[in-house]
Amino acid sequence: MTTDAAADGQETSSLDVSGNRVGSRDSLFVMAKLRLADERGPREVRVRNLSERGLMLELDKVVAIATPVLLELRGLGEIGGKVAWCTQGRIGIALDSPIDPKKARKVAGVSQSANTPFYAKATTER
């Protein structure tokens, strides 16, 4: 597998012999809610990278491969998947259907509409 780090936080990957990775991953740090198949309620987790078909997150629990999961991620809502791998404090999730990873990067609560007062808008220096 070939992986190149890009300046914008994206990594591009080619398809390896076993077909494990396709496309690019976005390195990021966002909070999400994760519910494992054997748990009643969700737990807060940190998502470390995200692609159209999967993600890696921090989890201090060993989880069996193929365990169904349900995630709630800002900008994407609820998404389902299965555990693809699990190792020291991290797990990989293969998503049930493709997503748009850029939606998870959108800043929450910031509006630049015409109704926003000038003092509440972000400032930019030119």
Side-chain angles (χ1 to χ4, degrees):
M1 176 171 61
T2 305
T3 302
D4 301 312
D8 65 355
Q10 284 193 344
E11 296 176 17
T12 55
S13 302
S14 61
L15 180 66
D16 70 1
V17 176
S18 61
N20 286 336
R21 180 157 329 275
V22 180
S24 64
R25 293 179 293 202
D26 252 352
S27 293
L28 55 103
F29 177 85
V30 295
M31 298 303 291
K33 291 183 181 178
L34 169 74
R35 192 174 79 228
L36 299 168
D38 62 346
E39 295 180 338
R40 289 182 188 234
R43 62 172 69 210
E44 291 277 322
V45 293
R46 293 181 189 143
V47 176
R48 290 301 190 162
N49 69 44
L50 183 63
S51 71
E52 287 183 0
R53 299 197 175 269
L55 56 93
M56 179 183 71
L57 55 86
E58 294 177 359
L59 185 66
D60 59 355
K61 177 179 179 172
V62 175
V63 182
I65 306 292
T67 299
V69 300
L70 192 60
L71 285 148
E72 187 175 331
L73 201 57
R74 179 188 73 209
L76 295 168
E78 276 192 357
I79 51 179
K82 291 184 177 57
V83 175
W85 55 267
C86 181
T87 189
Q88 299 178 311
R90 297 175 307 187
I91 66 172
I93 308 272
L95 300 176
D96 291 339
S97 49
I99 58 156
D100 180 357
K102 291 181 180 161
K103 288 183 178 179
R105 284 194 171 274
K106 291 190 178 182
V107 179
V110 176
S111 172
Q112 296 296 320
S113 72
N115 296 331
T116 304
F118 76 92
Y119 55 83
K121 292 183 180 180
T123 59
T124 57
E125 294 191 31
R126 296 179 192 239

